[in-house]
């Protein structure tokens, strides 16, 4: 992918419609069900490519929870704004059983975080969320399978 451009920045400030996204997925509560529901609902938005699901302890070492993590790349059937995508992901989290809480020690059925997006205005560029860098080890494992081009940036 020699002609692919990678940009880092604040994604929500770009008003252009999004046509693709790379999303980190994580669960520490009823993960099998949560991943099944999330993958089904993400698949309704377009074509998806899912990495293997890795299982590991809490990388922050704040809890003894076991986490299931993966990455998914999606090519959206219908372009949407960043706000629409974020809202859609929150809705999917809710369908997976996530309760919105600020307690970092809580069980989380599904967490969906946008790592990078592709805008309709520039189909050869991926824009990485600055706040997600550097990528976490479990994100790198998933990205290596479904979006290795994102690893070329100091993530």
């Amino acid at each position: 992918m020699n002609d692919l451009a990678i940009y880092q920045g604040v994604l929500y400030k770009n008003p252009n419609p999004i046509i693709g996204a790379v999303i980190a997925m994580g669960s520490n509560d009823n993960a099998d069900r949560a991943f099944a529901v999330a993958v089904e609902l993400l698949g309704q938005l377009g074509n998806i490519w899912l990495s293997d699901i890795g299982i590991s302890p809490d990388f922050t070492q704040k809890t003894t929870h076991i986490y299931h993590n993966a990455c998914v790349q999606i090519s959206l059937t219908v372009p949407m704004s960043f706000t629409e995508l974020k809202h859609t992901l929150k809705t999917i989290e809710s369908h997976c059983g996530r309760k919105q809480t600020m307690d970092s020690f809580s069980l989380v059925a599904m967490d969906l975080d946008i790592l990078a997006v592709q805008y309709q205005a520039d189909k050869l560029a991926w824009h990485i969320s600055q706040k997600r860098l550097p990528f976490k080890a479990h994100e790198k494992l998933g990205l290596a399978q479904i979006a290795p081009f994102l690893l070329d940036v100091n993530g």
Side-chain angles (χ1 to χ4, degrees), residues 70-99:
C71 288
V72 62
Q73 182 179 348
I74 183 166
S75 176
L76 296 169
T77 304
V78 177
M80 59 179 69
S81 71
F82 182 83
T83 302
E84 290 169 323
L85 178 59
K86 191 85 168 152
H87 177 75
T88 299
L89 296 179
K90 291 294 177 199
T91 300
I92 292 172
E93 288 176 349
S94 181
H95 283 292
C96 293
R98 179 163 187 176
K99 308 289 186 254

mmCIF file of all heavy atoms in Angstrom, residues 70-99:
data_model
loop_
_atom_site.group_PDB
_atom_site.id
_atom_site.type_symbol
_atom_site.label_atom_id
_atom_site.label_comp_id
_atom_site.label_asym_id
_atom_site.label_seq_id
_atom_site.Cartn_x
_atom_site.Cartn_y
_atom_site.Cartn_z
ATOM 1 N N ALA A 70 -10.021 -7.746 20.477
ATOM 2 C CA ALA A 70 -9.862 -7.953 19.036
ATOM 3 C C ALA A 70 -9.941 -6.592 18.355
ATOM 4 O O ALA A 70 -10.259 -5.582 18.989
ATOM 5 C CB ALA A 70 -10.955 -8.880 18.499
ATOM 6 N N CYS A 71 -9.651 -6.595 17.076
ATOM 7 C CA CYS A 71 -9.846 -5.403 16.255
ATOM 8 C C CYS A 71 -10.717 -5.794 15.073
ATOM 9 O O CYS A 71 -10.683 -6.939 14.608
ATOM 10 C CB CYS A 71 -8.518 -4.854 15.742
ATOM 11 S SG CYS A 71 -7.506 -4.073 17.007
ATOM 12 N N VAL A 72 -11.492 -4.831 14.604
ATOM 13 C CA VAL A 72 -12.341 -5.055 13.442
ATOM 14 C C VAL A 72 -12.189 -3.871 12.494
ATOM 15 O O VAL A 72 -12.116 -2.725 12.926
ATOM 16 C CB VAL A 72 -13.832 -5.278 13.846
ATOM 17 C CG1 VAL A 72 -14.413 -4.066 14.537
ATOM 18 C CG2 VAL A 72 -14.673 -5.678 12.657
ATOM 19 N N GLN A 73 -12.068 -4.196 11.213
ATOM 20 C CA GLN A 73 -12.081 -3.150 10.191
ATOM 21 C C GLN A 73 -13.426 -3.253 9.498
ATOM 22 O O GLN A 73 -13.897 -4.352 9.182
ATOM 23 C CB GLN A 73 -10.953 -3.339 9.176
ATOM 24 C CG GLN A 73 -10.925 -2.244 8.129
ATOM 25 C CD GLN A 73 -9.785 -2.402 7.135
ATOM 26 O OE1 GLN A 73 -8.880 -3.193 7.320
ATOM 27 N NE2 GLN A 73 -9.835 -1.650 6.070
ATOM 28 N N ILE A 74 -14.046 -2.099 9.286
ATOM 29 C CA ILE A 74 -15.359 -2.084 8.651
ATOM 30 C C ILE A 74 -15.361 -1.116 7.479
ATOM 31 O O ILE A 74 -14.814 -0.021 7.556
ATOM 32 C CB ILE A 74 -16.470 -1.731 9.667
ATOM 33 C CG1 ILE A 74 -17.848 -1.787 9.010
ATOM 34 C CG2 ILE A 74 -16.225 -0.397 10.323
ATOM 35 C CD1 ILE A 74 -18.994 -1.778 9.998
ATOM 36 N N SER A 75 -15.940 -1.578 6.378
ATOM 37 C CA SER A 75 -16.191 -0.735 5.218
ATOM 38 C C SER A 75 -17.688 -0.450 5.229
ATOM 39 O O SER A 75 -18.500 -1.347 4.974
ATOM 40 C CB SER A 75 -15.780 -1.467 3.937
ATOM 41 O OG SER A 75 -16.097 -0.699 2.805
ATOM 42 N N LEU A 76 -18.045 0.771 5.588
ATOM 43 C CA LEU A 76 -19.457 1.114 5.786
ATOM 44 C C LEU A 76 -20.245 1.114 4.474
ATOM 45 O O LEU A 76 -19.797 1.672 3.473
ATOM 46 C CB LEU A 76 -19.574 2.492 6.440
ATOM 47 C CG LEU A 76 -18.998 2.608 7.854
ATOM 48 C CD1 LEU A 76 -18.942 4.070 8.280
ATOM 49 C CD2 LEU A 76 -19.819 1.786 8.831
ATOM 50 N N THR A 77 -21.415 0.513 4.499
ATOM 51 C CA THR A 77 -22.309 0.526 3.345
ATOM 52 C C THR A 77 -22.844 1.936 3.115
ATOM 53 O O THR A 77 -22.940 2.401 1.983
ATOM 54 C CB THR A 77 -23.477 -0.458 3.556
ATOM 55 O OG1 THR A 77 -22.943 -1.751 3.807
ATOM 56 C CG2 THR A 77 -24.384 -0.488 2.346
ATOM 57 N N VAL A 78 -23.180 2.612 4.201
ATOM 58 C CA VAL A 78 -23.691 3.985 4.146
ATOM 59 C C VAL A 78 -22.738 4.877 4.948
ATOM 60 O O VAL A 78 -22.550 4.650 6.141
ATOM 61 C CB VAL A 78 -25.122 4.070 4.733
ATOM 62 C CG1 VAL A 78 -25.618 5.503 4.733
ATOM 63 C CG2 VAL A 78 -26.065 3.158 3.959
ATOM 64 N N PRO A 79 -22.121 5.874 4.296
ATOM 65 C CA PRO A 79 -21.227 6.776 5.033
ATOM 66 C C PRO A 79 -21.960 7.464 6.180
ATOM 67 O O PRO A 79 -23.173 7.691 6.114
ATOM 68 C CB PRO A 79 -20.814 7.806 3.973
ATOM 69 C CG PRO A 79 -21.012 7.110 2.669
ATOM 70 C CD PRO A 79 -22.206 6.218 2.876
ATOM 71 N N MET A 80 -21.210 7.768 7.244
ATOM 72 C CA MET A 80 -21.806 8.462 8.383
ATOM 73 C C MET A 80 -20.782 9.411 9.001
ATOM 74 O O MET A 80 -19.585 9.265 8.773
ATOM 75 C CB MET A 80 -22.344 7.480 9.418
ATOM 76 C CG MET A 80 -21.346 6.512 10.001
ATOM 77 S SD MET A 80 -22.055 5.380 11.258
ATOM 78 C CE MET A 80 -23.122 4.348 10.302
ATOM 79 N N SER A 81 -21.279 10.368 9.748
ATOM 80 C CA SER A 81 -20.400 11.321 10.423
ATOM 81 C C SER A 81 -19.717 10.621 11.602
ATOM 82 O O SER A 81 -20.140 9.545 12.037
ATOM 83 C CB SER A 81 -21.206 12.521 10.935
ATOM 84 O OG SER A 81 -22.021 12.127 12.026
ATOM 85 N N PHE A 82 -18.678 11.270 12.128
ATOM 86 C CA PHE A 82 -18.000 10.728 13.301
ATOM 87 C C PHE A 82 -18.988 10.585 14.467
ATOM 88 O O PHE A 82 -19.004 9.570 15.155
ATOM 89 C CB PHE A 82 -16.817 11.612 13.713
ATOM 90 C CG PHE A 82 -16.065 11.066 14.895
ATOM 91 C CD1 PHE A 82 -15.098 10.100 14.715
ATOM 92 C CD2 PHE A 82 -16.344 11.493 16.177
ATOM 93 C CE1 PHE A 82 -14.406 9.563 15.794
ATOM 94 C CE2 PHE A 82 -15.662 10.973 17.270
ATOM 95 C CZ PHE A 82 -14.696 10.006 17.079
ATOM 96 N N THR A 83 -19.817 11.591 14.657
ATOM 97 C CA THR A 83 -20.800 11.565 15.741
ATOM 98 C C THR A 83 -21.773 10.405 15.567
ATOM 99 O O THR A 83 -22.104 9.712 16.537
ATOM 100 C CB THR A 83 -21.567 12.906 15.806
ATOM 101 O OG1 THR A 83 -20.616 13.956 15.990
ATOM 102 C CG2 THR A 83 -22.573 12.924 16.931
ATOM 103 N N GLU A 84 -22.229 10.180 14.339
ATOM 104 C CA GLU A 84 -23.144 9.061 14.077
ATOM 105 C C GLU A 84 -22.465 7.723 14.349
ATOM 106 O O GLU A 84 -23.066 6.822 14.942
ATOM 107 C CB GLU A 84 -23.637 9.096 12.629
ATOM 108 C CG GLU A 84 -24.581 10.234 12.322
ATOM 109 C CD GLU A 84 -24.847 10.391 10.830
ATOM 110 O OE1 GLU A 84 -23.906 10.193 10.012
ATOM 111 O OE2 GLU A 84 -25.993 10.720 10.481
ATOM 112 N N LEU A 85 -21.209 7.590 13.920
ATOM 113 C CA LEU A 85 -20.476 6.349 14.151
ATOM 114 C C LEU A 85 -20.297 6.108 15.645
ATOM 115 O O LEU A 85 -20.540 5.006 16.143
ATOM 116 C CB LEU A 85 -19.119 6.377 13.441
ATOM 117 C CG LEU A 85 -18.235 5.147 13.639
ATOM 118 C CD1 LEU A 85 -18.926 3.877 13.156
ATOM 119 C CD2 LEU A 85 -16.896 5.336 12.916
ATOM 120 N N LYS A 86 -19.894 7.127 16.360
ATOM 121 C CA LYS A 86 -19.689 7.006 17.808
ATOM 122 C C LYS A 86 -20.998 6.600 18.502
ATOM 123 O O LYS A 86 -21.011 5.715 19.357
ATOM 124 C CB LYS A 86 -19.182 8.346 18.358
ATOM 125 C CG LYS A 86 -18.697 8.299 19.756
ATOM 126 C CD LYS A 86 -17.261 7.851 19.796
ATOM 127 C CE LYS A 86 -16.703 8.090 21.186
ATOM 128 N NZ LYS A 86 -15.655 7.152 21.502
ATOM 129 N N HIS A 87 -22.097 7.244 18.123
ATOM 130 C CA HIS A 87 -23.413 6.908 18.703
ATOM 131 C C HIS A 87 -23.802 5.464 18.367
ATOM 132 O O HIS A 87 -24.318 4.736 19.226
ATOM 133 C CB HIS A 87 -24.474 7.885 18.197
ATOM 134 C CG HIS A 87 -25.851 7.556 18.680
ATOM 135 N ND1 HIS A 87 -26.263 7.793 19.982
ATOM 136 C CD2 HIS A 87 -26.904 6.972 18.047
ATOM 137 C CE1 HIS A 87 -27.508 7.366 20.116
ATOM 138 N NE2 HIS A 87 -27.917 6.873 18.966
ATOM 139 N N THR A 88 -23.548 5.051 17.132
ATOM 140 C CA THR A 88 -23.873 3.684 16.717
ATOM 141 C C THR A 88 -23.086 2.673 17.544
ATOM 142 O O THR A 88 -23.637 1.649 17.992
ATOM 143 C CB THR A 88 -23.571 3.496 15.214
ATOM 144 O OG1 THR A 88 -24.391 4.408 14.469
ATOM 145 C CG2 THR A 88 -23.846 2.078 14.752
ATOM 146 N N LEU A 89 -21.813 2.952 17.785
ATOM 147 C CA LEU A 89 -20.992 2.046 18.586
ATOM 148 C C LEU A 89 -21.490 1.986 20.028
ATOM 149 O O LEU A 89 -21.515 0.909 20.643
ATOM 150 C CB LEU A 89 -19.523 2.457 18.532
ATOM 151 C CG LEU A 89 -18.861 2.366 17.153
ATOM 152 C CD1 LEU A 89 -17.408 2.814 17.224
ATOM 153 C CD2 LEU A 89 -18.974 0.973 16.559
ATOM 154 N N LYS A 90 -21.910 3.116 20.585
ATOM 155 C CA LYS A 90 -22.464 3.133 21.947
ATOM 156 C C LYS A 90 -23.751 2.304 22.005
ATOM 157 O O LYS A 90 -24.002 1.598 22.990
ATOM 158 C CB LYS A 90 -22.742 4.565 22.408
ATOM 159 C CG LYS A 90 -21.495 5.386 22.632
ATOM 160 C CD LYS A 90 -20.687 4.852 23.786
ATOM 161 C CE LYS A 90 -19.403 5.630 23.973
ATOM 162 N NZ LYS A 90 -18.412 4.918 24.761
ATOM 163 N N THR A 91 -24.560 2.378 20.958
ATOM 164 C CA THR A 91 -25.793 1.586 20.891
ATOM 165 C C THR A 91 -25.462 0.097 20.843
ATOM 166 O O THR A 91 -26.106 -0.713 21.517
ATOM 167 C CB THR A 91 -26.633 1.999 19.670
ATOM 168 O OG1 THR A 91 -26.959 3.383 19.790
ATOM 169 C CG2 THR A 91 -27.907 1.178 19.565
ATOM 170 N N ILE A 92 -24.440 -0.270 20.049
ATOM 171 C CA ILE A 92 -24.028 -1.672 19.970
ATOM 172 C C ILE A 92 -23.513 -2.147 21.326
ATOM 173 O O ILE A 92 -23.848 -3.249 21.775
ATOM 174 C CB ILE A 92 -22.971 -1.870 18.853
ATOM 175 C CG1 ILE A 92 -23.627 -1.649 17.480
ATOM 176 C CG2 ILE A 92 -22.341 -3.262 18.939
ATOM 177 C CD1 ILE A 92 -22.653 -1.627 16.319
ATOM 178 N N GLU A 93 -22.712 -1.323 22.005
ATOM 179 C CA GLU A 93 -22.239 -1.675 23.345
ATOM 180 C C GLU A 93 -23.416 -1.975 24.272
ATOM 181 O O GLU A 93 -23.394 -2.951 25.028
ATOM 182 C CB GLU A 93 -21.412 -0.525 23.941
ATOM 183 C CG GLU A 93 -20.059 -0.331 23.317
ATOM 184 C CD GLU A 93 -19.322 0.886 23.876
ATOM 185 O OE1 GLU A 93 -19.938 1.703 24.595
ATOM 186 O OE2 GLU A 93 -18.120 1.013 23.596
ATOM 187 N N SER A 94 -24.433 -1.149 24.191
ATOM 188 C CA SER A 94 -25.624 -1.330 25.016
ATOM 189 C C SER A 94 -26.325 -2.652 24.693
ATOM 190 O O SER A 94 -26.746 -3.383 25.596
ATOM 191 C CB SER A 94 -26.568 -0.148 24.815
ATOM 192 O OG SER A 94 -27.709 -0.287 25.609
ATOM 193 N N HIS A 95 -26.444 -2.977 23.405
ATOM 194 C CA HIS A 95 -27.067 -4.249 22.998
ATOM 195 C C HIS A 95 -26.265 -5.450 23.496
ATOM 196 O O HIS A 95 -26.821 -6.524 23.708
ATOM 197 C CB HIS A 95 -27.214 -4.326 21.481
ATOM 198 C CG HIS A 95 -28.350 -3.529 20.934
ATOM 199 N ND1 HIS A 95 -29.672 -3.839 21.162
ATOM 200 C CD2 HIS A 95 -28.362 -2.411 20.169
ATOM 201 C CE1 HIS A 95 -30.447 -2.955 20.565
ATOM 202 N NE2 HIS A 95 -29.675 -2.072 19.961
ATOM 203 N N CYS A 96 -24.966 -5.254 23.676
ATOM 204 C CA CYS A 96 -24.100 -6.323 24.188
ATOM 205 C C CYS A 96 -24.222 -6.484 25.696
ATOM 206 O O CYS A 96 -23.687 -7.431 26.268
ATOM 207 C CB CYS A 96 -22.643 -6.036 23.828
ATOM 208 S SG CYS A 96 -22.296 -6.119 22.061
ATOM 209 N N GLY A 97 -24.899 -5.538 26.353
ATOM 210 C CA GLY A 97 -25.096 -5.619 27.791
ATOM 211 C C GLY A 97 -24.266 -4.634 28.589
ATOM 212 O O GLY A 97 -24.209 -4.723 29.813
ATOM 213 N N ARG A 98 -23.622 -3.692 27.918
ATOM 214 C CA ARG A 98 -22.792 -2.735 28.651
ATOM 215 C C ARG A 98 -23.644 -1.752 29.434
ATOM 216 O O ARG A 98 -24.607 -1.195 28.927
ATOM 217 C CB ARG A 98 -21.892 -1.967 27.694
ATOM 218 C CG ARG A 98 -21.038 -0.955 28.471
ATOM 219 C CD ARG A 98 -19.878 -0.463 27.724
ATOM 220 N NE ARG A 98 -19.056 0.368 28.614
ATOM 221 C CZ ARG A 98 -17.926 0.886 28.270
ATOM 222 N NH1 ARG A 98 -17.445 0.657 27.067
ATOM 223 N NH2 ARG A 98 -17.249 1.629 29.113
ATOM 224 N N LYS A 99 -23.256 -1.557 30.657
ATOM 225 C CA LYS A 99 -23.864 -0.535 31.510
ATOM 226 C C LYS A 99 -22.906 0.644 31.529
ATOM 227 O O LYS A 99 -21.711 0.474 31.765
ATOM 228 C CB LYS A 99 -24.059 -1.057 32.937
ATOM 229 C CG LYS A 99 -24.795 -2.384 33.020
ATOM 230 C CD LYS A 99 -26.248 -2.246 32.672
ATOM 231 C CE LYS A 99 -27.008 -3.522 32.878
ATOM 232 N NZ LYS A 99 -27.381 -4.220 31.696
#
